[in-house]
Amino acid sequence: PTPSLWLFSPHLSLIDTVSPQCPDSCHCAWDTATVLCSDAGLREIPEGIPPETVSLHLERNYIRSIPESAFSDLVHLRDLYLSHNRIDSLATGALRHLGPELRLLDLSHNQLRQASREEFGPTRAKTRLYHNPWHCDCALQELMEALNLDRWEDPGSLGEHAGQPLVKLLDSGVNFCSLQRKTTDIAMLVTMFVWFFMVIVYVVYYVRQNQAEARRHLEYLKSLPSPRKTPTETDTLSTGF
C-alpha cells in the first residue's frame, strides 16, 4: 500500500496528496491540517493524532485528565481546544511539550482547581482558564502571572473571594502569596503557643507532684516513734558529769 504523506507547498499550505489516517471518532480536514474531535464522547486524548496537525479540537467531551505525553509529537500545533470537558488534573509537564508555534490554549469550562507553572511549561500562547472552580492560592497566582491570559471573567471558588473574577482580583492588588505566608506564620505561632502551654502545664504538674511526694515523706518521718535512750547510755552520761 502507498504510505500516507502530507506535503507542504512553498506557501506553507498543505496539499492533499495521500491523506494520513484520522483518529477514531474524529474528522480531519487535510487542507487546513485540522483535526475535529468535538462532541465525540471521548474520555481521554485520542491516539494517532497526525504530527502535522495545526489545529486540534477536543472540546465538549468527557476527558478528565491530560497525561504528560499527550501532545509530545504535535510540534506544529497552533490551536488547542479543550474546553467544556471534565478535566480536573494535569500531569506534571502535560503541556510542556507544546511547541513555540502554539497561539491558543483553551482550557475553559473544566473542573480544574489547582495548577502550577510546571504543568504549562514556557508556553506564551493565549490561554483561556475561565469557568474553572479554581482554589485561589500562591501557586495559582504565580501561574496567572506567567501565562498570557485571555482576560475573561474567571470566577474563583473558595474563601472570601468566592465567585469573584480571579483576574480582577489580581489586578486589584490581592496577593495570595502574601496571604499564604501570613496564614503560615499564624499557624506557626499557634503551634508554638500550644507547645509552650503544654510545657508549662507539664512543669507545673511535675512541681506539684514533687511537692506532694515531699509532704508525704515528711509526714511519714514525723509519724515514726522517737528513739528512747537505754539505761546504759544514761549511766554513762551521769558518770561523765
Side-chain angles (χ1 to χ4, degrees):
T2 303
S4 298
L5 179 65
W6 279 1
L7 296 178
F8 288 93
S9 73
H11 300 289
L12 299 180
S13 62
L14 292 174
I15 300 177
D16 187 6
T17 54
V18 179
S19 299
Q21 184 176 1
C22 194
D24 294 339
S25 304
C26 301
H27 301 281
C28 298
W30 307 121
D31 57 335
T32 58
T34 299
V35 178
L36 301 170
C37 304
S38 307
D39 298 295
L42 299 175
R43 297 187 178 275
E44 58 185 15
I45 306 296
E47 297 181 356
I49 300 173
E52 293 84 357
T53 300
V54 170
S55 183
L56 177 58
H57 291 259
L58 290 164
E59 60 266 46
R60 295 185 297 278
N61 282 291
Y62 303 100
I63 300 171
R64 290 187 174 274
S65 62
I66 300 179
E68 184 173 356
S69 59
F71 309 112
S72 58
D73 296 329
L74 306 182
V75 295
H76 301 292
L77 195 63
R78 294 184 182 179
D79 303 304
L80 177 56
Y81 298 91
L82 288 160
S83 64
H84 294 88
N85 276 281
R86 299 179 181 179
I87 300 171
D88 57 14
S89 64
L90 304 172
T92 302
L95 305 170
R96 188 183 302 165
H97 301 290
L98 295 172
E101 297 184 27
L102 190 70
R103 300 174 305 184
L104 176 63
L105 172 60
D106 190 354
L107 281 164
S108 62
H109 296 273
N110 277 286
Q111 298 300 316
L112 290 169
R113 297 179 63 85
Q114 294 179 318
S116 64
R117 288 181 293 184
E118 286 72 20
E119 282 91 355
F120 285 80
T123 181
R124 295 306 303 161
K126 180 74 72 175
T127 305
R128 298 173 181 171
L129 294 175
Y130 48 84
H131 290 292
N132 279 279
W134 293 111
H135 172 62
C136 300
D137 58 10
C138 184
L140 181 61
Q141 178 175 338
E142 292 177 346
L143 173 64
M144 296 298 175
E145 292 172 349
L147 293 177
N148 180 18
L149 286 179
D150 189 353
R151 314 292 281 187
W152 194 267
E153 294 297 309
D154 183 10
S157 63
L158 298 180
E160 61 179 306
H161 306 295
Q164 300 184 43
L166 179 58
V167 174
K168 284 188 176 181
L169 282 174
L170 297 179
D171 288 342
S172 68
V174 174
N175 190 325
F176 294 108
C177 294
S178 175
L179 293 174
Q180 181 172 320
R181 283 192 291 269
K182 289 180 180 179
T183 302
T184 302
D185 292 342
I186 292 173
M188 290 180 63
L189 288 173
V190 170
T191 302
M192 292 174 62
F193 175 78
V194 170
W195 276 105
F196 182 74
F197 177 76
M198 292 176 64
V199 169
I200 294 298
V201 169
Y202 175 77
V203 170
V204 171
Y205 172 79
Y206 180 79
V207 170
R208 288 184 176 180
Q209 283 292 106
N210 283 349
Q211 289 177 342
E213 288 292 333
R215 283 195 298 268
R216 284 195 294 269
H217 185 67
L218 183 60
E219 291 173 357
Y220 170 75
L221 292 177
K222 290 180 177 180
S223 66
L224 293 176
S226 300
R228 296 181 179 180
K229 296 180 180 180
T230 61
T232 303
E233 292 175 343
T234 306
D235 295 342
T236 305
L237 290 173
S238 301
T239 304
F241 287 106

